Amino acid sequence: MAGVSSCMKYSMFVFNFLFWIIGCIILGFSIWIRVSKHTQEDFKTDSSLLPAVDLLIAVGSIIMVLGFLGCCGAMKESQCMLLLFFIGLLLILLLQIVAGILGAVYKSQIEGLVNQTLEKEMDVLKLASTNNKDALNKFHNFEMENKCCGMLKGKEDWGQNFLPYHGCECNQTDIGTIYCDKQHYAKTCATVIMEILKNNMVIVMGIAFGLAFIEIVGMVFSMALYCQIQKK
């Protein structure tokens, strides 16, 4: 009977040990963000950040568990652990494929959902009182950094807060440029946000393809080692 290849065994261990370290880094970093006093203040003003951090915690935990299963399965030559590792990677790969298909099919609905979220932010901007001074100043800083005005309708979105907080007012260095119209930025911030999302989609797709490649390599390694152990 053929024995288990040492090269395959240790390659599988190194691969999953790196996988496990990545999981530890993601989990540790996301937990640090979750409990940090500075980010706790940001969560109070923008609770939409919480699901993203919780998702990172979940992703880090899953990667750690899979890395542990892969390492132990390789070193102990455990078919059960290798099979669980293979199934875990397969499920993640299938979820990525389904998410990609749903994202392509429901692209217009997703954009509509983003617009609804921006409309809610517009209402907050318009109705905010002096108690929300920090939030209003932060948004105006966002306008100056991204050379934009308001959320969806320009300076109208500021409502009664337009003059007290100098909303949409151009930075001195931008006056006279194509970004500035009568000392106020011409482009809405919703347009800027959508451009940022579209640009980041390329990065997200690149990461997704990279992860898919790593997952397929891991599945091939685990199944090859599983078959070798079975023939042993």
Side-chain angles (χ1 to χ4, degrees):
M1 292 212 172
V4 176
S5 169
S6 296
C7 179
M8 180 74 71
K9 181 177 176 178
Y10 288 108
S11 296
M12 179 76 177
F13 173 80
V14 171
F15 173 84
N16 284 285
F17 182 70
L18 293 173
F19 204 54
W20 181 78
I21 288 175
I22 291 168
C24 289
I25 292 169
I26 294 172
L27 182 61
F29 180 69
S30 53
I31 290 174
W32 176 78
I33 292 174
R34 192 71 168 78
V35 300
S36 171
K37 289 182 179 179
H38 177 70
T39 51
Q40 287 294 328
E41 293 176 2
D42 290 337
F43 291 149
K44 288 178 183 177
T45 56
D46 189 2
S47 59
S48 63
L49 296 172
L50 279 170
V53 177
D54 291 338
L55 179 62
L56 274 176
I57 292 172
V59 168
S61 302
I62 292 168
I63 291 174
M64 275 185 66
V65 171
L66 287 175
F68 176 79
L69 285 172
C71 284
C72 290
M75 295 311 295
K76 292 188 175 183
E77 299 182 10
S78 170
Q79 286 183 293
C80 180
M81 286 185 173
L82 288 171
L83 189 60
L84 287 172
F85 175 78
F86 178 86
I87 292 170
L89 286 183
L90 180 61
L91 288 173
I92 292 171
L93 185 61
L94 290 174
L95 284 173
Q96 284 179 230
I97 294 169
V98 170
I101 293 170
L102 290 175
V105 172
Y106 295 103
K107 183 181 176 183
S108 58
Q109 286 90 330
I110 292 169
E111 289 180 355
L113 185 62
V114 171
N115 285 329
Q116 286 178 11
T117 305
L118 294 177
E119 284 176 8
K120 289 179 182 177
E121 294 295 326
M122 180 184 70
D123 292 338
V124 171
L125 182 67
K126 190 180 291 185
L127 301 173
S129 65
T130 52
N131 295 328
N132 303 98
K133 183 167 65 175
D134 289 341
L136 292 170
N137 285 332
K138 279 182 181 179
F139 184 75
H140 184 45
N141 288 334
F142 178 85
E143 287 180 327
M144 289 191 290
E145 287 172 10
N146 295 277
K147 308 182 194 308
C148 61
C149 172
M151 193 61 75
L152 293 169
K153 298 179 182 177
K155 61 184 182 181
E156 290 179 33
D157 297 338
W158 278 89
Q160 295 180 348
N161 292 310
F162 177 67
L163 289 175
Y165 292 94
H166 305 287
C168 298
E169 188 177 26
C170 295
N171 191 311
Q172 290 297 314
T173 56
D174 293 323
I175 293 175
T177 65
I178 57 171
Y179 305 106
C180 197
D181 180 28
K182 299 177 182 177
Q183 295 191 338
H184 297 117
Y185 289 113
K187 187 187 291 186
T188 62
C189 291
T191 306
V192 172
I193 291 168
M194 291 303 292
E195 286 174 358
I196 292 170
L197 289 174
K198 287 177 181 177
N199 290 336
N200 286 337
M201 279 302 294
V202 176
I203 298 171
V204 171
M205 286 176 66
I207 292 170
F209 279 116
L211 285 173
F213 175 76
I214 292 170
E215 287 156 8
I216 291 169
V217 170
M219 287 165 63
V220 170
F221 266 110
S222 60
M223 192 46 61
L225 194 56
Y226 178 91
C227 293
Q228 284 189 6
I229 295 168
Q230 196 172 35
K231 292 176 181 178
K232 185 178 175 182

